[in-house]
Amino acid sequence: MIKFSLTMCVYIAEDPQNLSQCFDSILSQTVLPDELVIVKDGPLTIELDNVINNIKFPGGIKIIALPKNVTQGPARAAGVKAANHDWVAIMDSDDVCLSDRFEKQLKMIENNPELGLIGGQIAEFWENSEKTTKERTVPIKQECILEFAKKRNPFNQMTVMFKRDMAINAGNYRYFPWFEDYDLWARLIKDGAICANHPDILVNVRVGTGMYTRRRGKSYICSEWRMQKQLRSLGMINRLEFARNVALRIPVRLLPAKMIKAVYNRFARESR
C-alpha cells in the first residue's frame, strides 16, 4: 500500500468541537495515514491545543507551530514541506471524512500509477446539523478536468491527494487568498500532472453563512482577477476566455451575500 502523509492547518478562530470531530473521522478511516502533520497557523486557544495534544494517532504526529498567522497558502506549504512521504493528502480541520475516503483514493492511485493529483466529491452540511444538503461535483477524467479548469476550480481542496515532489517542484502552495488551491492545481496541470477525481463523495464539508460573506467585496475581486491572470499567463485560457471569465465572475462579487449563496446553489452545487 502507498504510504502518505495527511496535512491539515488549524488557526485560533476554529471550534474545538469541530476539530475533535474531524480527528475522529480520521481515526475511523479503513486505511489510516502513515503520518499526520498538523500546522498551527499562529498561536491557538488552550481548548484547541488540548484537542491536538490529546489525539492518539498510531502513525505518529508532527506538529509545526508557526509563530504568527500566515494564512492558508503559506501554512499549507509548511505542512507539505514537513511531510515525510511521497503522497500528501489534504484535510480541512472542521470537515468530516467518510470512513473509506483514503482507501478509495489509494486504490485509484494503485490502479493508475501515472496519477499525480487526485480529488473527489463533497457533500455540504450546515453548522449545528449533520444532514447534508448540497453536493459539489467535479469532473472525474483528465480531459474533463482540464476543460473545467478553464472556468472553475476542478478540485475540492479538502479531498485532494498529490505527489509531494510534484507540488514542491511546481512552487507549492503560496500566498493567494481564497485561491491558493486553484493556483497550485493550475501550476501542476501546466507541469503535466495526470489528474483524476474519484466519483464518490469522500468528505462532508461544514458550511455557514460567513462563507458567502467572505466571497464578496474588493479583496475577493482582486484575488479573482489575479487568478484569471494566472490562468492566462499559464496558457490555460486565451484572451476571449479570460474576458468571459471576468465578465461572468467579477460582478457576482458585488452582490449581497444572500444573492451570492443563491448563485452558488444554482450553478456550483447539486441538491441531494
Side-chain angles (χ1 to χ4, degrees):
M1 185 72 72
I2 295 167
K3 289 191 174 183
F4 70 101
S5 304
L6 174 61
T7 72
M8 58 190 301
C9 302
V10 184
Y11 78 112
I12 194 169
E14 299 190 42
D15 186 321
Q17 185 174 348
N18 295 346
L19 178 61
S20 181
Q21 187 179 10
C22 174
F23 282 147
D24 287 343
S25 77
I26 295 169
L27 291 169
S28 298
Q29 290 292 300
T30 54
V31 176
L32 286 172
D34 297 283
E35 174 188 50
L36 177 59
V37 179
I38 300 174
V39 179
K40 295 182 180 180
D41 190 7
L44 305 180
T45 64
I46 293 174
E47 292 79 10
L48 286 169
D49 275 326
N50 286 339
V51 172
I52 293 172
N53 293 336
N54 288 330
I55 186 174
K56 301 294 188 292
F57 187 74
I61 301 176
K62 181 181 292 185
I63 297 176
I64 310 298
L66 303 179
K68 63 179 182 178
N69 178 264
V70 296
T71 72
Q72 280 201 26
R76 289 194 190 278
V80 173
K81 289 179 182 177
N84 286 320
H85 297 296
D86 292 339
W87 278 86
V88 174
I90 300 297
M91 181 71 188
D92 282 351
S93 58
D94 59 350
D95 296 334
V96 179
C97 280
L98 274 67
S99 61
D100 56 357
R101 171 197 167 178
F102 298 128
E103 180 182 357
K104 287 181 174 179
Q105 289 185 294
L106 290 173
K107 284 182 179 178
M108 198 167 179
I109 293 169
E110 289 176 343
N111 291 333
N112 302 275
E114 74 281 3
L115 284 174
L117 173 61
I118 179 174
Q121 317 306 320
I122 63 170
E124 297 177 343
F125 67 99
W126 284 93
E127 293 172 340
N128 304 317
S129 172
E130 295 184 357
K131 183 180 179 181
T132 57
T133 58
K134 296 287 181 179
E135 176 182 337
R136 183 177 190 265
T137 57
V138 285
I140 297 170
K141 296 182 178 180
Q142 168 89 356
E143 59 271 20
C144 298
I145 289 171
L146 298 185
E147 187 63 29
F148 193 90
K150 296 179 180 181
K151 300 178 182 179
R152 287 162 46 194
N153 191 336
F155 294 95
N156 290 310
Q157 156 95 328
M158 64 293 295
T159 69
V160 164
M161 296 181 67
F162 51 75
K163 288 183 177 178
R164 178 181 178 274
D165 287 350
M166 288 186 67
I168 290 177
N169 290 339
N172 208 342
Y173 288 99
R174 59 181 181 175
Y175 180 75
F176 203 142
W178 299 291
F179 292 89
E180 58 277 333
D181 55 333
Y182 195 179
D183 169 52
L184 177 56
W185 315 150
R187 284 180 278 122
L188 283 169
I189 289 171
K190 176 64 176 178
D191 285 354
I194 304 301
C195 309
N197 277 304
H198 198 282
D200 293 348
I201 294 172
L202 302 180
V203 180
N204 289 333
V205 176
R206 192 183 311 272
V207 297
T209 55
M211 180 182 74
Y212 302 104
T213 301
R214 291 191 296 270
R215 297 189 179 194
R216 63 181 304 277
K218 182 178 179 180
S219 295
Y220 199 97
I221 288 173
C222 289
S223 284
E224 182 84 75
W225 177 267
R226 180 185 172 196
M227 187 65 229
Q228 295 305 317
K229 289 184 68 176
Q230 168 75 338
L231 295 175
R232 181 80 176 96
S233 68
L234 291 172
M236 293 179 63
I237 59 175
N238 58 35
R239 187 179 303 174
L240 289 177
E241 290 167 330
F242 174 86
R244 174 204 62 195
N245 289 352
V246 169
L248 290 175
R249 300 181 69 89
I250 298 297
V252 175
R253 308 306 171 190
L254 301 173
L255 298 174
K258 288 184 178 180
M259 293 186 69
I260 292 178
K261 177 182 176 182
V263 171
Y264 268 76
N265 287 342
R266 173 64 179 84
F267 295 105
R269 276 32 174 191
E270 292 185 4
S271 298
R272 286 186 60 78

